[in-house]
Amino acid sequence: MYMTLHSNNGSLTASEMTQLSPAALGLIAEFFKVLSEVSRLQIVCSLKSGAKNVSEIIEATELGQANVSKHLRILTQAGIVSREQRGVCVYYEIANPILFELCEMVCDSLSIQITQQSEQLEQLGKLRRA
Amino acid sequence: MYMTLHSNNGSLTASEMTQLSPAALGLIAEFFKVLSEVSRLQIVCSLKSGAKNVSEIIEATELGQANVSKHLRILTQAGIVSREQRGVCVYYEIANPILFELCEMVCDSLSIQITQQSEQLEQLGKLRRA
DNA sequence: TTATTATATAGCTATTTAGTCATAAATTTC
DNA sequence: GAAATTTATGACTAAATAGCTATATAATAA
């Protein structure tokens, strides 16, 4: 029996994850894919300080207009940002703060890796010099 | 001034993330990209119960041999799994357990979204029937 | 209405990459 | 050494997509 994403009232423990169905893995993969583009991470980061309209996002990220528009559509569909029209302008806002936790965890993890690698390189250097 | 990944002894707070450099965002994006493929998530899940050699992974995931080999290379380079040769066989193992936390968080998040969406759809149904 | 501004979208190109097949490389067994 | 087994790699194809330009749509102002 596979585990679906909304079994158990929407909460999955790590041990249950082993049995995630291909469909659930597909949703997870899709979510990660949305976060796997530098441009989209830039946009999200630019919204960290609060809601911005498209023009403001373009200015903050220095990306092209059409490009930003497309990325915002992807982020909205993924439920990561929310969209609100105010007159001519459309304001976007972080809708899913989980994202920053995720990034933080990845940052920490990568930092540790980088630190370990540089330590290993240093050890290697010492061995060479010896 | 941009924040690099290994500033502050490898620990970044959420508030600092706003100022991540494009280079740091690139590393984060790359990490997420590795996790954005169903096949790789399948492989990782198959390793949840412990180390497996390539043949065992192929059996567990039902993916092609060359394909698995390539994915394992990508996962290894990303520091997500580790590689150990024992005779003819090569055993892979989860090296970065952060991954399961990440998946769990995404699962929870997605579950909540799906629940909310289905509730909204239900509300919509009630309105239509009324 | 017309003009202007803000955002979205269609069409296109170039790049990336997952998957497959064939083959190479490495290890063990006979 | 030869054969068999396990894993890795190179070549190729098909599909996905980021970014661009041009254009469409929507809202406001004149």
Side-chain angles (χ1 to χ4, degrees):
Chain A
M1 268 297 282
Y2 280 128
M3 195 81 186
T4 60
L5 269 187
H6 44 290
S7 327
N8 198 17
N9 281 330
S11 128
L12 286 172
T13 66
S15 60
E16 287 165 333
M17 222 210 70
T18 325
Q19 298 278 28
L20 280 177
S21 69
L25 289 181
L27 288 175
I28 297 173
E30 210 175 317
F31 189 89
F32 282 135
K33 180 172 277 174
V34 174
L35 300 181
S36 71
E37 287 297 321
V38 175
S39 302
R40 283 195 285 268
L41 290 181
Q42 279 182 267
I43 291 173
V44 166
C45 285
S46 80
L47 295 177
K48 182 90 209 301
S49 53
K52 279 191 172 66
N53 65 37
V54 180
S55 300
E56 290 169 336
I57 295 171
I58 291 169
E59 197 194 349
T61 59
E62 297 181 316
L63 297 169
Q65 183 267 318
N67 200 16
V68 165
S69 187
K70 281 185 181 175
H71 284 312
L72 284 170
R73 189 160 160 274
I74 293 169
L75 288 166
T76 306
Q77 284 178 333
I80 292 169
V81 303
S82 61
R83 200 192 110 107
E84 189 198 354
Q85 185 131 14
R86 296 186 211 164
V88 184
C89 296
V90 178
Y91 281 78
Y92 287 88
E93 190 172 12
I94 303 283
N96 196 344
I98 195 188
L99 196 136
F100 294 108
E101 285 182 68
L102 290 179
C103 284
E104 230 184 306
M105 287 170 66
V106 174
C107 277
D108 288 352
S109 166
L110 289 174
S111 300
I112 292 168
Q113 273 179 244
I114 292 169
T115 305
Q116 283 175 350
Q117 280 170 8
S118 59
E119 275 169 10
Q120 281 169 9
L121 283 174
E122 210 174 313
Q123 291 300 322
L124 210 64
K126 283 182 187 168
L127 284 175
R128 281 216 186 116
R129 281 193 295 277
Chain B
M1 267 298 283
Y2 281 128
M3 195 82 187
T4 60
L5 269 187
H6 42 290
S7 326
N8 195 18
N9 279 331
S11 129
L12 284 174
T13 68
S15 62
E16 287 166 335
M17 224 210 69
T18 324
Q19 299 278 26
L20 280 177
S21 69
L25 289 182
L27 288 176
I28 297 173
E30 210 175 319
F31 190 88
F32 282 135
K33 180 171 276 173
V34 174
L35 300 182
S36 71
E37 288 296 322
V38 175
S39 302
R40 283 194 286 269
L41 290 180
Q42 279 183 266
I43 292 173
V44 167
C45 285
S46 80
L47 296 176
K48 182 93 208 302
S49 53
K52 277 191 174 64
N53 64 38
V54 180
S55 301
E56 291 169 335
I57 294 171
I58 291 168
E59 197 193 348
T61 59
E62 297 181 315
L63 298 169
Q65 183 267 319
N67 199 17
V68 165
S69 187
K70 283 183 182 176
H71 283 311
L72 285 170
R73 190 159 161 273
I74 292 169
L75 287 166
T76 306
Q77 284 177 333
I80 293 170
V81 303
S82 62
R83 199 191 110 108
E84 187 197 355
Q85 185 133 15
R86 297 186 209 162
V88 183
C89 296
V90 179
Y91 281 78
Y92 287 88
E93 191 172 9
I94 302 282
N96 195 345
I98 193 187
L99 196 134
F100 294 108
E101 285 183 69
L102 291 179
C103 285
E104 230 183 307
M105 288 171 67
V106 174
C107 279
D108 288 352
S109 167
L110 289 175
S111 300
I112 292 166
Q113 274 178 242
I114 290 169
T115 306
Q116 283 175 349
Q117 280 169 6
S118 59
E119 276 169 10
Q120 281 169 9
L121 282 175
E122 211 174 312
Q123 292 298 323
L124 211 63
K126 283 181 189 170
L127 285 176
R128 280 211 188 125
R129 281 192 296 276

